[in-house]
Amino acid sequence: MLSIENLHVSIGDKEIIKGLSLQVPAGEVHAVMGPNGAGKSTLSYTLAGRAGYEVTEGMATLDGEDLLALEPNERAAKGVFLSFQYPLEIPGVPTLTFIRAALNAQRKARGEGEVSAPAFLKLAREAAGKLKIDFDMLKRPLNVGFSGGEKKRMEILQMAMLSPRLLILDETDSGLDIDALRIVSEGVNAMRSPDRSMLVITHYQRLLDYIKPDRVHVLASGRIVASGGPELALELEAKGYDQYAKAAA
Amino acid sequence: MSLMQAIKARDASLLPSRRDEAWRYSDLRAAIREIPGASPEASRPTGPPPLVDVEADHEILVLNGRAEAKGFLAVAGAPITLRLRIVSDAEHTLHQSALTLDLEPGADLTLIETYEGQGSAYVSGFSLAISLGAGARLERIVLVDEPADAISISRSEIELQPGARLAQTVVCSGARLQRHETEVRHPGGGADVRLDGLYLLDGKRHADLTTVLAHTAPDGTTRQLTKGLAKDQARGVFQGRILVEEGADRTDARMGHHALLLNDGAEIDAKPELEIYADEVSCAHGNTVGSLDDAALFYMRSRGLPEAEARALLMQAFVGEVVDRIEHDGARAAVQAWVARRLEALA
Ligand SMILES: Nc1ncnc2c1ncn2[C@@H]1O[C@H](COP(=O)(O)OP(=O)(O)OP(=O)(O)O)[C@@H](O)[C@H]1O
Ligand SMILES: [Mg+2]
């Protein structure tokens, strides 16, 4: 499980995460909602290990292991996967080449052998089929010229193929059309399992109709200011964040 | 002023220096204080040549400035591959030589031209005069891969007849001072030139890719793409000049130079020049110097790629565009393999 205790994160001189605590037990899906600029992406980047996100206090562990001491690629090999709010374009690197390199690098770090080319292609075809991604698209450089929604689908494809243990979805629903939202949600739901934890960051209740969370947290001004069951998301949709903005201030 | 004249006169003060516009970024005078003594004869190299996997029909060896032949004539007919292997095996001495390469009208030649060296701190000079008859085709693949403390100056002058096609790719890893210079007289009349380059530098290596191309008559096309990577305190120099002379109307020329600095201490000097004195000309040039994208690197690492592997993948993708333009399948594969090995040092 993921455990975050009293986390403080600064970017430059500016403290963005200000004493955040959160537990996501194995097998559970937790939603994180909160106003723009609250620190949701900062939290996900910190968990993934982005440079420049300085942890000044607190800790974050995955199954008891200190995540914050690890390099980003080591975290990935331990099973951390962040679906980016804004996926990057990787010019000149075909999507399949990239995913295969990532998968084999993770396997190597875990002391496992490489996946054979035929086995990898089979895996890619299956995953693409489920997400209704045209297989030819995987021959194009990763995300270069892809639409916003296509990039998000590509994130979920990578997630499915890399089979992580901690899934962090940072606004995966934004940019998706109605059908894509359903398809992507089905892809995510298919990954629910007793040994996986998921952190789903979203602004919209609609995603949570598809991916039913066990808990919902409100992140405002760098802290978790409220937690509850799925009904909390409905309440936020109706009332907005006003009350929490005051509570956090 | 030139290397040849200075050697003949045994006078280092005749060497080109940064006060000469064409040598502004590669100060040969500063690199050679005194003209060294002549290199002795050397024995034939026992190891395989660079780009060994490319099958060649003919081979010319140039060993410490002693060439096996004065030149080569490619006759029309079936495609031919010629390996020109320029080898230095010397310590603190100097050697130089010159060769001619002629393509009959309609000839089709792939030239695998490689520079390699053993020993240290030698000065090597090499020049090549190339002529292409009407409709001839030359693909020239040059690999300059020498010891870090060598000084190596190579220069070629290329004349084409209308309807000929020249495609050139120069790949180099730098040295104490390494310069590869190409001068092309472009006859228009449907002749087509591609002039590509790639420099992959680390340590204190210096590479200078200089080209001067003159369109002298109407209806010629030129495509030029040079890319480079510089790490540590390495220095990459690109000087590309395309001159469209009066009357060379409807010339279509494109020049691009794009480089990445892999860290703060490295340096790139680029001087792309287009000079146009003709009408209805379509010319463009682009020049960028950047660095590896940190955000992209983090994204790649977050998917499990170790930093060096992520960097190598981005670099490979960046330089791949140049290598992919090599038309000869075997040569392209061999250069790809060489580049992949070289990138391991730069990652
Ligand atoms: N590199 C940076 N330098 C300075 N401030 C930054 C930097 N990156 C983010 N911030 C600030 O940190 C705060 C939190 O940003 P973050 O992206 O985490 O918000 P968010 O909750 O994900 O918002 P959104 O819902 O709009 O995606 C914002 O005020 C933002 O301006
Ligand atoms: Mg965000």
Side-chain angles (χ1 to χ4, degrees), chain A residues 11 14 16 34-43 53 85 171 203:
Chain A
I11 304 175
K14 194 173 161 203
I16 312 285
N36 294 132
K40 302 181 298 296
S41 293
T42 303
L43 173 64
Y53 290 64
Q85 183 174 358
E171 294 197 28
H203 286 296

Side-chain angles (χ1 to χ4, degrees), chain B residues 106-127:
Chain B
D108 182 347
L109 180 71
T110 300
L111 173 66
I112 306 294
E113 179 180 335
T114 59
Y115 297 74
E116 67 196 285
Q118 287 182 38
S120 71
Y122 59 77
V123 180
S124 165
F126 186 74
S127 68

Side-chain angles (χ1 to χ4, degrees), chain B:
Chain B
M1 256 158 288
S2 75
L3 178 63
M4 309 294 165
Q5 285 168 354
I7 293 167
K8 223 177 230 168
R10 297 208 54 79
D11 182 356
S13 73
L14 296 177
L15 290 167
S17 76
R18 59 169 188 238
R19 282 190 297 278
D20 300 279
E21 187 57 27
W23 291 80
R24 210 165 115 192
Y25 305 114
S26 300
D27 194 334
L28 194 58
R29 171 99 181 76
I32 305 178
R33 298 268 164 214
E34 249 176 80
I35 304 288
S39 298
E41 277 189 40
S43 49
R44 292 180 72 92
T46 48
L51 308 179
V52 62
D53 290 333
V54 187
E55 276 180 43
D57 306 301
H58 304 273
E59 176 170 330
I60 298 176
L61 180 70
V62 180
L63 191 52
N64 281 359
R66 293 153 180 93
E68 287 178 331
K70 287 221 171 321
F72 187 85
L73 174 70
V75 295
I80 313 165
T81 301
L82 169 67
R83 179 184 288 285
L84 175 56
R85 185 176 180 191
I86 297 123
V87 181
S88 297
D89 184 356
E91 307 268 345
H92 302 274
T93 53
L94 175 151
H95 46 269
Q96 55 147 336
S97 55
L99 227 72
T100 58
L101 178 62
D102 298 295
L103 278 75
E104 278 188 0
D108 182 347
L109 180 71
T110 300
L111 173 66
I112 306 294
E113 179 180 335
T114 59
Y115 297 74
E116 67 196 285
Q118 287 182 38
S120 71
Y122 59 77
V123 180
S124 165
F126 186 74
S127 68
L128 194 56
I130 301 178
S131 74
L132 280 74
R137 177 186 172 279
L138 171 64
E139 180 164 30
R140 181 184 187 202
I141 291 118
V142 183
L143 176 65
V144 197
D145 187 10
E146 298 179 288
D149 60 358
I151 294 175
S152 165
I153 309 294
S154 46
R155 180 184 152 74
S156 55
E157 283 178 26
I158 308 179
E159 293 258 8
L160 298 84
Q161 296 303 314
R165 166 154 167 69
L166 164 70
Q168 169 171 306
T169 307
V170 180
V171 180
C172 62
S173 58
R176 173 143 180 251
L177 197 162
Q178 185 179 78
R179 169 152 158 144
H180 190 278
E181 199 178 317
T182 309
E183 200 177 308
V184 182
R185 304 240 353 126
H186 195 311
D192 178 45
V193 172
R194 173 170 69 72
L195 276 186
D196 292 349
L198 180 60
Y199 53 87
L200 303 175
L201 314 176
D202 65 349
K204 292 182 184 319
R205 287 174 180 260
H206 175 123
D208 174 337
L209 292 180
T210 292
T211 61
V212 179
L213 180 138
H215 280 271
T216 60
D219 299 312
T221 56
T222 295
R223 293 290 176 269
Q224 184 167 16
L225 177 65
T226 299
K227 288 198 166 188
L229 299 173
K231 191 190 171 187
D232 305 325
Q233 292 106 57
R235 186 172 183 197
V237 177
F238 169 74
Q239 303 187 103
R241 179 158 180 252
I242 294 180
L243 172 69
V244 183
E245 293 178 358
E246 206 180 317
D249 300 339
R250 296 180 302 279
T251 289
D252 177 356
R254 236 138 277 233
M255 183 199 302
H257 168 256
H258 306 284
L260 297 179
L261 292 167
L262 299 179
N263 51 252
D264 281 347
E267 185 180 331
I268 306 283
D269 298 294
K271 203 168 93 176
E273 290 177 288
L274 281 177
E275 258 180 83
I276 301 166
Y277 302 101
D279 298 321
E280 287 178 73
V281 165
S282 160
C283 283
H285 68 94
N287 178 41
T288 58
V289 178
S291 53
L292 284 178
D293 181 351
D294 281 335
L297 277 172
F298 168 63
Y299 178 80
M300 297 170 87
R301 295 184 69 198
S302 83
R303 298 289 139 96
L305 290 167
E307 185 168 14
E309 211 177 310
R311 291 174 73 87
L313 210 51
L314 282 185
M315 292 191 283
Q316 190 116 40
F318 180 77
V319 304
E321 197 186 350
V322 172
V323 181
D324 288 346
R325 283 156 64 113
I326 297 176
E327 291 145 46
H328 187 283
D329 292 334
R332 188 174 58 251
V335 171
Q336 261 159 1
W338 183 89
V339 166
R341 270 199 314 280
R342 181 77 188 127
L343 288 183
E344 283 171 18
L346 268 61

Side-chain angles (χ1 to χ4, degrees), chain A residues 48-49 70-82 84 90 97-111 142 158-159 161-164, chain B residues 296-311 313:
Chain A
L70 302 176
E71 295 292 322
N73 45 299
E74 293 170 333
R75 298 182 199 199
K78 297 276 181 203
V80 178
F81 184 97
L82 166 61
F84 280 53
I90 312 294
T97 306
F98 177 77
I99 303 176
R100 186 158 177 223
L103 181 59
N104 281 331
Q106 288 199 16
R107 293 180 64 91
K108 193 172 166 196
R110 292 192 293 259
L142 180 58
Q158 292 176 57
M159 191 168 87
M161 293 185 67
L162 294 171
S163 194
Chain B
L297 277 172
F298 168 63
Y299 178 80
M300 297 170 87
R301 295 184 69 198
S302 83
R303 298 289 139 96
L305 290 167
E307 185 168 14
E309 211 177 310
R311 291 174 73 87
L313 210 51

